[in-house]
Amino acid sequence: MATAGAVDVRNVTTIGHVDHGKTTMMDALLAANNIISSRMAGKIRYLDSREDEQERGITMESSAVSLRFNVMERNPQGAEPRPKTYVVNMIDTPGHVDFSSEVSTASRLCDGALVLVDVVEGVCTQTITVLRQAWQDRLRPILVINKFDRLITELKLAPVEAYHHLAQLIEQVNAVMGSFFASERMEDDLRWREERERRLAEKRETHADEVEATVNEEDEYQEKDDEDIYFAPERGNVVFASAIDGWGFRIGKFAHLYAVKLGIKEGNLRTVLWGDFYLDPKTKRVISHKHLRGRALKPLFVQFVLDNIWAVYDAVITNPNPDKVSKIITTLGLKIPPREQKSKDTRQLLSLIFSQWLPLSTCVIQTIVDIVPPPSTAQRTRLPKMLYPDIYEATIEPKNKLEEDLYSCNDRPEASVVALVSKMFAVPTKELPGKKKKALTAEEMRSRAKAAREARAAAAAAAAASSEATPSEPQSVSIEEGMQKVELNDKAETENGDAESDETLLGFARIYSGTIRTGTTIVCVLPKYSHALGPSHPRNAQHLVTAQVEELYTMMGRELVAVESVRAGNVFAIRGLEGKVWRNATLCAPASSGIGETTDLEEVKDCLVNLAGVIRYAAPIVRIALEPEHPADMPKLIRGLKLLAQADPCVETFQQKTGEHVILTAGELHGERCIRDLKERFAKIEIHASKPIVPFRETAVKASDMAPPKTPNAKRGTIHGAAAHDLGKFTIRAAPLHPIVFEFLIDNLAILRRMQQERRAGEDLGRTEDDDAIDDENFDVQGEYIKKPTIKADQFWPMLQEKCREAGGEWADIVDKIWAFGPQRMGSCLLIDSRPGQPNSLKQRLAQMKARETVKEQDPLTAAFDNYLETGFQLATFQGPLCAEPVEGMAYFVESVRLDREGIEEEQTHNRMAHLTGSFISAVRDACRNGLLDWSPRLMLAMYTCDIQASTDVLGKVYGVVAKRRGKIVAEEMKEGTEFFTVRAKLPVVESFGFADDIRKRTSGAASPQLIFSGYEMLDQDPFWVPTTEEELEDLGEKADRVNIAKAYMDAVRERKGMFVDRKIVEFAEKQRTLKR
């Protein structure tokens, strides 16, 4: 069985906010393909194949399904329309924010997207996120306005009100699309100006004698048209639907119905059926709003479309009227048996009427065929962006045979094979097509029964014969022999169990050119492969592996169908990559026969390409430490964690320095799913999970009521320190960073990261853009929140200089004195060399490294101690004084370092340098920590932005839950035309566990929150604060009856880390105790 050709294929993903009806709509399409019963469509949610997906009613993993549809093709010559078969590969994705990585992996494989929007809730946070994803991946979107029935049954709007509501909704979605377009044009404009200035400068240099150099006339800024990015019903890219009732329509459907009746051309009617156009009852002509002359006419869309839908709902559900229903059925010419018409189940009758009159599946498939381009067309615009992420033209000319094959989606046997594996997913081995138990035919059952009867008869005959013979002595076997046999059997069983793993990892892939076949050998190009360096380069060698294609499958939701080959343009699953591909990769081969016996990959260099790149998803923020209930099961847990990390693109698994095994997940729900998968599928053992561990940050501020400075007669934050026997003395002064400088550094952490990578790469200038992701895996382990940089990398130092001057004071001239950034050399803390003489400048070191200049030789002893001092600073900022969490927004000025050279040389002769080095680093670390504590220390909490949609009657309860969890309401706005409020709040991550359940319980399921990580915010409370003034003592008493929240958070982290906690065992000794309690 082979797959369809590229012209008749459409690859589409369904995207949208959680609970907007994506999986329900997929049910309608599956029912049209006879995979499920049409009665069960919308109730069964077939693609939610996991047990917890069915329990919670939300999708957690994207599922793919290949459907075949016959669509009537119109012939241009006016001949009879002929049916044409299309293969539509649909990928259903989750809408919950915790699983947004699943949307990214799916959209990379598709050419079009069905964007579902709930007609009542409108554009939500996740709707904007998925629309942005579709925009970045150059997908052709189709807007599906779903849950249309809610306008009639819940909001009880009149048709005219509904029309205005729909117009506003489409306008909102278009505003989002417009904002993407505008930001892209602004970037283009800036790029064009820079390019123009560069060319002008070059021209001035080459023609120095010319007074004024002018740019070529044809280099004018190219304006782009934004006409085709918007959704407009008259253009056919908007579907109005109610997936639960199984109906949907486009404007064209009604234009076709009414064109004959009204005697208007179908094309003309389609353009006026949406918008402020009216039918003049006297002249029977279509008029615009200018010619109304005060008459109260209904828009055409209300009169011809909405009135009819409202009439059906009214007759069937709102005011059941069997006579009206039968009249509607005969008028529309539907075939509904009388028994169904008399049914008490009005919803079933409604869906029967609509599914025959306005079938959802027909409408959606026709829209997909009309709007979404086939792979051969789509790849011309999508693949240049994947190959060259920095290009801004819509299409570019192919530069070689490989690009020609990719852009044209060439599926001939001699074409280069290129397929993108966007994620790995685990399938129980027993569910693979080859391993499944086949259902027996009647003939096989009969033959089996006959064989069993014959075997029983033979056994009975043998028993009778042996009883006639003389009974022999029972054979005795020694205990040792018996035990050995038992052990051998056990061993054989366990060996078999290990050999046959319970879970198999498959690649979720799309083939862009060529034909991939089972049994062939292909090259897996891993994400960090750099095309510029070539396959034989030592850095690239580890990112190329060969693998054999064991099996290819077409995906049908939870089922897999084995196929021999897959042609370009199709989505498929592949077996044979386990242990070779971690999460994503590009599969390459020079032709459909694979690479054959070739061992030297230089020979197939021309067909290698890296489409995967390193995709960064939202930073996983919630940490959970795991341990098995029985310590003997630890190897199983480690194996399970390895499987989980491969099967889930958004989870990070690692072992902490303390030896704990930790998983990093995107949120609470994602964490629950990961633990369940480990228990039931990957490790199959009982697991103890810790309470979620949340990262904090530490900083200090200048407060009004601080204690006197620790060092008298010196600026606040100054600490004098010394190493062992005073052989190395130093003075370090800590100070909170100026807010302007701090914000600039936080915004551009990504640039600091790149600088650190360049520094680590050292003299190796063979780095390429693709290698930006060195050590990417270890990064999010710190729970960092990386924003897109606000400036370009080469502008970093000049802009930092500008910000420092803006801050003024002692910050004005620090840029050339910056010694290092911290923690991990890429944070928002500064180590500043303010010693007299030539400063130790990071900026100069990086410039010299780039220019390949030799760094000036420094006195080796001073250089060594400078390194130790920087190490101490990095340690102090990585684990702060409050609860050993990273420090943010502090500057440490090194004011003096004095070394006793004679004493140090003596230590060297006695071989005691290790002791001296250790004590110097520890002294610097302690000095930095004490310097921070000299100011007013603060904790910074990881924060979620929380979006909640709630009706007015439960709004108070929502506010109550947010306030109880120390959140603050940022904004609230009412959705026009509905009684729904959108509430936006900020909530500490540490308080968010159980928040979603709490809100659902309090509001009886009427409100459900979406939590998105949004960085760190300072909790403005000193953890060491105690009441001191008379007013405070009067209000709070000596014991401070009000809990210090910052101290509570700090103590909880210290306790978890096994550090000393300053806690009174007896809180209130003078209070009466009742011993009976």
Side-chain angles (χ1 to χ4, degrees):
M1 177 187 169
T3 50
V7 183
D8 304 334
V9 175
R10 298 289 186 275
N11 297 308
V12 183
T13 174
T14 55
I15 55 179
H17 192 74
V18 66
D19 282 338
H20 279 201
K22 296 176 291 297
T23 310
T24 308
M25 194 184 72
M26 291 298 295
D27 272 6
L29 302 182
L30 291 162
N33 240 234
N34 297 325
I35 293 171
I36 59 172
S37 135
S38 55
R39 264 179 184 272
M40 294 308 291
K43 301 180 184 77
I44 193 173
R45 296 199 315 281
Y46 180 81
L47 291 182
D48 284 353
S49 49
R50 296 169 55 100
E51 194 182 325
D52 46 357
E53 287 181 324
Q54 288 288 349
E55 280 172 13
R56 288 178 181 272
I58 60 168
T59 307
M60 295 186 189
E61 276 181 2
S62 45
S63 320
V65 63
S66 290
L67 306 172
R68 285 174 186 270
F69 291 95
N70 285 334
V71 177
M72 300 304 275
E73 288 285 292
R74 285 203 188 93
N75 287 343
Q77 291 82 22
E80 278 293 307
R82 289 202 311 272
K84 187 176 180 184
T85 304
Y86 285 93
V87 172
V88 180
N89 295 315
M90 303 283 297
I91 303 180
D92 179 36
T93 62
H96 195 284
V97 67
D98 280 13
F99 309 112
S100 49
S101 58
E102 295 278 350
V103 180
S104 323
T105 54
S107 69
R108 290 185 72 115
L109 305 183
C110 293
D111 304 320
L114 291 172
V115 183
L116 276 90
V117 177
D118 184 325
V119 72
V120 176
E121 291 186 10
V123 176
C124 298
T125 45
Q126 209 54 17
T127 315
I128 298 170
T129 309
V130 296
L131 275 169
R132 184 179 289 113
Q133 186 71 50
W135 175 267
Q136 285 166 353
D137 288 329
R138 294 189 174 181
L139 304 187
R140 186 64 64 83
I142 296 165
L143 178 63
V144 181
I145 295 177
N146 193 22
K147 304 199 181 183
F148 206 92
D149 53 299
R150 291 182 71 185
L151 292 178
I152 308 168
T153 53
E154 268 184 48
L155 298 185
K156 296 187 169 51
L157 297 184
V160 179
E161 293 170 329
Y163 165 69
H164 291 304
H165 182 86
L166 291 168
Q168 271 182 343
L169 178 57
I170 293 172
E171 196 54 51
Q172 279 175 2
V173 182
N174 282 338
V176 173
M177 296 303 286
S179 69
F180 299 154
F181 179 79
S183 62
E184 196 172 88
R185 297 312 291 141
M186 283 160 80
E187 280 179 23
D188 277 2
D189 183 43
L190 180 69
R191 201 173 299 106
W192 178 79
R193 282 174 200 281
E194 285 174 357
E195 187 69 18
R196 185 168 178 271
E197 281 166 18
R198 189 181 59 78
R199 281 202 304 270
L200 270 170
E202 276 177 16
K203 220 166 191 186
R204 280 201 189 95
E205 281 171 22
T206 50
H207 309 289
D209 51 338
E210 288 181 23
V211 180
E212 186 61 49
T214 54
V215 187
N216 299 336
E217 289 302 312
E218 64 266 20
D219 284 343
E220 283 191 12
Y221 180 59
Q222 296 291 314
E223 284 296 340
K224 264 189 196 170
D225 185 24
D226 63 346
E227 189 56 39
D228 57 343
I229 68 164
Y230 296 119
F231 298 106
E234 63 272 17
R235 290 183 39 219
N237 59 3
V238 178
V239 174
F240 301 97
S242 169
I244 197 85
D245 290 335
W247 62 268
F249 66 88
R250 289 192 293 170
I251 293 284
K253 169 81 175 173
F254 282 92
H256 180 68
L257 286 174
Y258 285 108
V260 185
K261 279 187 182 179
L262 297 171
I264 303 174
K265 281 184 185 170
E266 191 178 322
N268 294 351
L269 186 55
R270 192 178 294 130
T271 54
V272 296
L273 203 50
W274 177 265
D276 292 335
F277 296 100
Y278 307 85
L279 187 69
D280 191 326
K282 290 176 184 171
T283 58
K284 295 283 187 260
R285 291 170 72 97
V286 175
I287 57 170
S288 70
H289 64 93
K290 291 176 187 171
H291 305 294
L292 274 179
R293 298 193 192 93
R295 288 176 293 178
L297 297 181
K298 291 179 182 175
L300 286 177
F301 186 71
V302 175
Q303 192 176 345
F304 292 155
V305 181
L306 297 186
D307 279 352
N308 292 325
I309 291 170
W310 256 251
V312 177
Y313 269 91
D314 183 61
V316 179
I317 286 189
T318 323
N319 306 304
N321 186 333
D323 300 337
K324 257 192 190 174
V325 172
S326 54
K327 193 179 176 186
I328 289 168
I329 289 167
T330 40
T331 313
L332 295 172
L334 311 177
K335 292 174 183 166
I336 293 175
R339 184 184 49 144
E340 293 289 357
Q341 290 183 37
K342 290 170 187 166
S343 163
K344 290 278 187 287
D345 187 354
T346 51
R347 208 82 208 197
Q348 174 62 24
L349 175 59
L350 187 79
S351 56
L352 272 173
I353 293 171
F354 272 119
S355 58
Q356 287 189 31
W357 178 36
L358 304 170
L360 176 62
S361 54
T362 314
C363 170
V364 169
I365 295 304
Q366 189 65 60
T367 313
I368 287 171
V369 169
D370 292 350
I371 303 291
V372 178
S376 49
T377 313
Q379 287 181 201
R380 285 196 187 285
T381 54
R382 289 195 63 233
L383 272 158
K385 184 79 174 164
M386 289 170 80
L387 288 169
Y388 310 105
D390 295 335
I391 66 140
Y392 295 94
E393 295 80 30
T395 55
I396 55 171
E397 288 303 309
K399 296 174 185 171
N400 49 39
K401 178 187 175 289
L402 173 68
E403 287 189 17
E404 213 169 285
D405 289 343
L406 281 169
Y407 296 172
S408 61
C409 192
N410 187 352
D411 62 357
R412 288 198 294 277
E414 67 276 9
S416 306
V417 175
V418 177
L420 170 64
V421 177
S422 76
K423 70 165 188 170
M424 303 292 283
F425 66 106
V427 173
T429 308
K430 61 176 185 290
E431 286 185 19
L432 292 174
K435 312 281 182 188
K436 275 191 175 178
K437 289 180 180 176
K438 288 183 180 174
L440 297 176
T441 61
E443 194 57 47
E444 284 172 335
M445 284 181 188
R446 279 196 287 274
S447 60
R448 269 197 182 185
K450 189 178 178 184
R453 281 200 301 275
E454 285 169 3
R456 277 202 300 275
S466 65
S467 63
E468 285 168 17
T470 53
S472 60
E473 284 291 314
Q475 240 180 342
S476 63
V477 180
S478 72
I479 290 176
E480 288 80 3
E481 274 180 55
M483 289 301 286
Q484 273 177 343
K485 277 185 186 174
V486 170
E487 277 172 22
L488 282 170
N489 287 350
D490 281 359
K491 232 179 233 176
E493 276 174 32
T494 54
E495 278 169 15
N496 290 346
D498 282 353
E500 190 65 47
S501 173
D502 291 338
E503 296 283 334
T504 303
L505 284 169
L506 304 179
F508 194 83
R510 149 98 181 255
I511 180 164
Y512 286 106
S513 78
T515 303
I516 192 166
R517 301 182 187 283
T518 50
T520 54
T521 305
I522 50 168
V523 182
C524 303
V525 180
L526 302 181
K528 291 185 188 176
Y529 173 81
S530 165
H531 192 63
L533 300 180
S536 52
H537 192 281
R539 185 179 284 156
N540 269 347
Q542 59 190 359
H543 301 311
L544 288 175
V545 285
T546 54
Q548 190 174 18
V549 181
E550 292 176 18
E551 290 282 345
L552 295 169
Y553 306 104
T554 297
M555 289 174 280
M556 300 297 290
R558 63 193 92 176
E559 306 289 328
L560 294 165
V561 179
V563 289
E564 282 300 310
S565 64
V566 180
R567 288 161 68 185
N570 282 288
V571 174
F572 64 100
I574 175 170
R575 184 156 78 96
L577 306 179
E578 195 165 344
K580 296 181 179 179
V581 171
W582 181 243
R583 279 180 180 168
N584 52 2
T586 314
L587 312 179
C588 303
S592 63
S593 53
I595 58 168
E597 300 299 313
T598 312
T599 51
D600 182 15
L601 294 179
E602 276 290 338
E603 293 175 27
V604 292
K605 178 184 176 183
D606 293 340
C607 77
L608 298 182
V609 63
N610 182 7
L611 295 178
V614 176
I615 318 167
R616 281 252 57 86
Y617 305 115
I621 182 75
V622 176
R623 262 180 221 214
I624 302 166
L626 306 174
E627 60 177 15
E629 198 164 286
H630 306 293
D633 289 334
M634 188 53 102
K636 287 184 183 175
L637 176 66
I638 294 167
R639 198 166 60 241
L641 284 170
K642 196 176 172 188
L643 265 172
L644 175 73
Q646 274 187 275
D648 188 330
C650 196
V651 76
E652 300 278 351
T653 61
F654 65 98
Q655 190 170 6
Q656 280 187 318
K657 288 173 187 170
T658 54
E660 284 179 304
H661 288 277
V662 167
I663 59 171
L664 265 165
T665 62
E668 187 185 7
L669 181 62
H670 186 214
E672 284 174 23
R673 189 193 82 179
C674 291
I675 292 167
R676 184 165 181 162
D677 275 353
L678 277 172
K679 283 182 181 175
E680 294 176 6
R681 292 177 63 189
F682 301 136
K684 292 196 170 173
I685 54 169
E686 281 305 311
I687 291 171
H688 277 313
S690 72
K691 283 182 179 171
I693 304 166
V694 176
F696 287 84
R697 292 286 178 270
E698 300 180 21
T699 188
V701 294
K702 184 179 181 181
S704 54
D705 52 347
M706 293 188 286
K710 291 186 180 177
T711 309
N713 307 322
K715 283 186 177 178
R716 183 176 288 280
T718 306
I719 304 289
H720 301 304
H725 313 303
D726 286 353
L727 295 175
K729 291 182 178 180
F730 57 86
T731 304
I732 288 179
R733 179 168 62 84
L737 261 182
H738 194 283
I740 296 174
V741 183
F742 176 53
E743 277 170 30
F744 175 77
L745 290 176
I746 285 290
D747 284 344
N748 296 289
L749 277 178
I751 294 175
L752 292 177
R753 247 178 98 198
R754 184 182 278 187
M755 275 164 42
Q756 160 61 2
Q757 287 159 6
E758 281 174 11
R759 187 176 164 188
R760 202 178 291 173
E763 300 301 316
D764 182 8
L765 292 177
R767 287 184 77 257
T768 61
E769 289 301 308
D770 286 321
D771 234 15
D772 277 347
I774 298 175
D775 282 347
D776 224 21
E777 289 86 346
N778 303 332
F779 190 66
D780 280 332
V781 166
Q782 292 311 318
E784 277 299 355
Y785 179 58
I786 296 294
K787 296 179 183 175
K788 195 176 176 187
T790 52
I791 54 164
K792 290 189 173 169
D794 53 0
Q795 296 173 343
F796 177 78
W797 291 108
M799 280 300 292
L800 182 59
Q801 178 80 57
E802 199 179 298
K803 295 284 179 191
C804 290
R805 285 204 186 111
E806 197 182 322
E810 65 180 343
W811 308 105
D813 56 348
I814 63 163
V815 171
D816 289 324
K817 296 180 184 174
I818 292 175
W819 181 341
F821 293 97
Q824 294 186 310
R825 294 183 171 174
M826 50 189 180
S828 60
C829 289
L830 301 180
L831 181 63
I832 297 162
D833 189 354
S834 55
R835 295 175 291 185
Q838 181 66 28
N840 191 336
S841 171
L842 174 66
K843 182 182 171 184
Q844 282 176 3
R845 284 205 305 276
L846 288 173
Q848 286 169 344
M849 205 181 285
K850 271 193 176 171
R852 290 250 172 140
E853 290 175 17
T854 50
V855 182
K856 287 178 187 171
E857 281 299 314
Q858 213 181 357
D859 168 27
L861 190 66
T862 313
F865 272 86
D866 276 3
N867 274 342
Y868 303 151
L869 194 141
E870 190 188 331
T871 307
F873 158 75
Q874 296 294 354
L875 287 173
T877 53
F878 185 60
Q879 293 189 326
L882 299 181
C883 49
E885 291 285 319
V887 178
E888 271 192 3
M890 291 296 291
Y892 297 90
F893 296 84
V894 180
E895 296 190 336
S896 67
V897 176
R898 296 178 299 284
L899 303 175
D900 178 355
R901 289 174 181 275
E902 288 174 11
I904 292 169
E905 279 164 16
E906 193 181 319
E907 291 289 309
Q908 279 175 327
T909 53
H910 288 101
N911 207 6
R912 288 203 297 260
M913 273 306 284
H915 169 62
L916 175 61
T917 306
S919 78
F920 187 78
I921 291 173
S922 301
V924 172
R925 185 191 63 195
D926 293 344
C928 290
R929 287 180 175 174
N930 287 329
L932 185 147
L933 293 174
D934 209 7
W935 297 86
S936 186
R938 294 285 184 272
L939 275 180
M940 294 181 80
L941 310 182
M943 299 297 278
Y944 274 139
T945 301
C946 166
D947 281 292
I948 309 164
Q949 282 224 337
S951 55
T952 42
D953 49 339
V954 296
L955 209 54
K957 290 172 182 169
V958 168
Y959 282 14
V961 176
V962 171
K964 179 182 154 196
R965 291 173 176 271
R966 306 200 174 99
K968 58 175 185 283
I969 305 293
V970 180
E972 59 164 14
E973 57 183 51
M974 190 168 189
K975 290 232 173 222
E976 242 177 280
T978 70
E979 54 170 29
F980 282 91
F981 273 87
T982 303
V983 178
R984 174 162 284 198
K986 281 277 183 81
L987 189 76
V989 174
V990 71
E991 296 284 355
S992 69
F993 303 105
F995 175 69
D997 287 344
D998 206 356
I999 280 229
R1000 278 193 209 101
K1001 277 178 196 162
R1002 292 293 177 88
T1003 62
S1004 310
S1008 86
Q1010 283 277 87
L1011 299 169
I1012 301 165
F1013 180 54
S1014 69
Y1016 293 87
E1017 266 187 28
M1018 190 170 70
L1019 174 64
D1020 199 10
Q1021 194 173 6
D1022 187 338
F1024 300 119
W1025 179 85
V1026 285
T1028 47
T1029 65
E1030 280 186 25
E1031 289 88 0
E1032 286 167 355
L1033 285 166
E1034 196 175 302
D1035 281 353
L1036 303 166
E1038 279 178 40
K1039 304 284 187 305
D1041 292 336
R1042 193 176 64 209
V1043 177
N1044 183 335
I1045 301 161
K1047 188 174 190 312
Y1049 288 150
M1050 180 181 82
D1051 287 349
V1053 176
R1054 290 181 75 93
E1055 198 170 346
R1056 192 187 78 232
K1057 291 185 175 180
M1059 298 163 75
F1060 169 72
V1061 179
D1062 178 22
R1063 185 178 287 150
K1064 290 179 182 171
I1065 295 170
V1066 178
E1067 282 281 332
F1068 303 106
E1070 72 275 11
K1071 283 196 176 178
Q1072 180 186 350
R1073 288 188 304 149
T1074 310
L1075 293 176
K1076 283 183 181 175
R1077 281 186 186 170

